[in-house]
């Protein structure tokens, strides 16, 4: 069996392509994320996964990437692992409905891992943006498939955007 020319071919490949990040602060300048634009290309959907919840550094980076995707690439929807039906009131809240404190009420019956700060950023962004960022839950409803949570928004009037 031929021996590889390098002791660690993947490490060499990664070293040649890695781009260092200058900051994890979600409010930091975004220039170090510009290499992502070449990877994203003309994609209309970008998925940002994670291997484990509760890792603060990943949450901070994900928030920076969200900002980059919205501010530099024009993305307009934040879709999250969250109940489909339960996402409707969060979308309305992110669009400006209610008060800032209402987010805690919306999230009280769920486990919103990593969702609070991105939603707060979307709401602040939408307050001044010409194009709003929407929120969508893309998981089964907490009601376990019941249509009642999905029908609730149809029962109450929606505020204009």
């Amino acid at each position: 069996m031929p021996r590889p020319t390098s002791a660690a071919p993947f490490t060499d490949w990664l070293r040649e392509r890695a781009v260092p990040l200058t900051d994890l602060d979600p409010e930091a300048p975004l220039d170090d994320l510009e290499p992502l634009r070449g990877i994203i290309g003309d994609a209309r959907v970008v998925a940002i996964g994670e291997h484990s919840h509760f890792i603060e550094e990943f949450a901070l980076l994900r928030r920076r990437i969200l900002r980059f995707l919205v501010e530099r690439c024009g993305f307009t929807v934040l879709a999250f692992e969250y109940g489909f039906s339960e996402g409707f009131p969060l979308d309305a809240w992110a669009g400006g409905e209610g008060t800032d404190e209402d987010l805690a009420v919306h999230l009280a019956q769920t486990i919103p891992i990593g969702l609070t700060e991105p939603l707060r950023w979307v709401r602040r962004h939408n307050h001044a943006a010409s194009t709003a960022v929407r929120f969508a839950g893309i998981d089964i409803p907490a009601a376990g498939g019941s249509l009642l949570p999905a029908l609730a928004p149809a029962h109450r009037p929606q505020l204009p955007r």
Side-chain angles (χ1 to χ4, degrees):
M1 176 175 230
R3 295 178 58 94
T5 57
S6 169
F10 177 72
T11 303
D12 293 342
W13 177 89
L14 190 58
R15 188 174 290 116
E16 291 170 8
R17 289 161 179 82
V19 177
L21 298 177
T22 58
D23 210 319
L24 287 177
D25 179 357
E27 300 303 318
L30 300 171
D31 293 339
D32 61 327
L33 295 177
E34 272 302 323
L36 288 176
R37 188 183 304 273
I39 296 168
I40 294 166
D42 60 357
R44 297 184 61 203
V45 176
V46 174
I48 304 170
E50 63 184 306
H51 72 281
S52 183
H53 295 302
F54 308 113
I55 296 175
E56 182 64 19
E57 293 81 3
F58 184 81
L60 292 170
L61 180 57
R62 184 172 49 194
R63 287 170 48 202
R64 281 192 77 216
I65 292 172
L66 168 63
R67 238 186 86 217
F68 176 80
L69 292 171
V70 170
E71 293 178 6
R72 302 264 180 110
C73 300
F75 283 81
T76 58
V77 176
L78 169 62
F80 224 88
E81 180 185 358
Y82 194 79
F84 174 78
S85 303
E86 292 85 350
F88 295 134
L90 291 182
D91 180 50
W93 182 85
E97 185 178 291
T99 68
D100 289 350
E101 292 75 30
D102 289 342
L103 180 59
V105 174
H106 291 305
L107 298 177
Q109 301 299 315
T110 66
I111 304 172
I113 298 171
L115 181 57
T116 303
E117 290 309 314
L119 269 175
R120 288 188 190 285
W121 181 85
V122 167
R123 183 174 169 95
R124 286 191 310 272
H125 169 83
N126 285 346
H127 181 72
S130 59
T131 302
V133 173
R134 305 287 308 264
F135 176 80
I138 57 168
D139 206 348
I140 61 168
S146 169
L147 293 178
L148 292 177
L151 295 174
H155 186 12
R156 65 179 170 82
Q158 295 292 313
L159 296 177
R161 289 229 180 214

